[in-house]
Amino acid sequence: MRPPGRCDQRFTFAYIFAAAEAGTDNAFALILPEVNADMMQTFLDEMAKTIPETDHVALFLDQAGWHGASALRVPECFTLVPLPPYSPELNYVERIWEYLKERYLSLRLHDDYDAIEEAIAAAWQKLLAETGRLTSLSWLPWARETPATATSQNL
């Protein structure tokens, strides 16, 4: 049963695209206005700028259509690895979304898109400031040797 809370009938969304290195506090995120292949391309391009030239990253993704769109030009530093369908328990970024929603983002009303974006950015910064929090949220036995995972979340 959903807890009682405020209900907003407006339809303004912001989406957080993020990747977290399994079992570490290393993460990258962008707040974007839509979820589609163009936004995924923006995410990949921006994240690629943070990857050292000598590194290669496996990005584990759920099966959202924009994650594996044929129009994506995947930077050479990434290999996209789809997780099995209907398996959110394998995607440790889902635990990060739940943490952010439970502590900072649920049951709140915001005036406009800019306010939503500011709330998401503040929540992400609070998460990053908690030393060891991402490490604990992103640790799963199967992911111990896995470089990164990524998903997007409608907030």
Side-chain angles (χ1 to χ4, degrees):
M1 179 177 277
R2 177 176 258 166
R6 297 186 198 183
C7 182
D8 191 352
Q9 298 299 315
R10 296 173 293 173
F11 295 98
T12 301
F13 299 99
Y15 301 86
I16 185 168
F17 284 65
E21 185 176 354
T24 73
D25 279 347
N26 296 329
F28 176 82
L30 285 180
I31 303 166
L32 298 168
E34 299 174 352
V35 286
N36 56 38
D38 290 338
M39 296 296 106
M40 184 66 182
Q41 187 68 59
T42 299
F43 174 75
L44 291 173
D45 293 343
E46 291 301 313
M47 187 175 162
K49 294 175 186 175
T50 70
I51 307 298
E53 286 185 32
T54 57
D55 288 0
H56 190 84
V57 176
L59 285 172
F60 288 84
L61 305 146
D62 63 24
Q63 300 228 6
W66 57 88
H67 287 158
S70 60
L72 289 179
R73 295 172 318 284
V74 180
E76 289 185 21
C77 61
F78 295 124
T79 296
L80 303 184
V81 181
L83 291 169
Y86 309 107
S87 57
E89 70 281 0
L90 296 178
N91 188 350
Y92 52 81
V93 173
E94 294 295 334
R95 294 167 64 182
I96 295 169
W97 300 149
E98 288 304 315
Y99 182 85
L100 288 172
K101 289 188 285 186
E102 285 175 2
R103 282 155 185 84
Y104 306 115
L105 299 170
S106 292
L107 301 175
R108 289 162 177 81
L109 295 179
H110 302 286
D111 292 333
D112 55 21
Y113 179 84
D114 291 336
I116 294 169
E117 192 174 66
E118 288 173 21
I120 295 169
W124 184 256
Q125 291 306 314
K126 288 177 185 176
L127 172 65
L128 294 180
E130 293 182 51
T131 303
R133 180 63 63 195
L134 273 172
T135 298
S136 68
L137 291 171
S138 66
W139 189 89
L140 290 174
W142 74 267
R144 283 183 53 201
E145 303 299 323
T146 303
T149 187
T151 64
S152 58
Q153 178 68 39
N154 170 3
L155 300 171

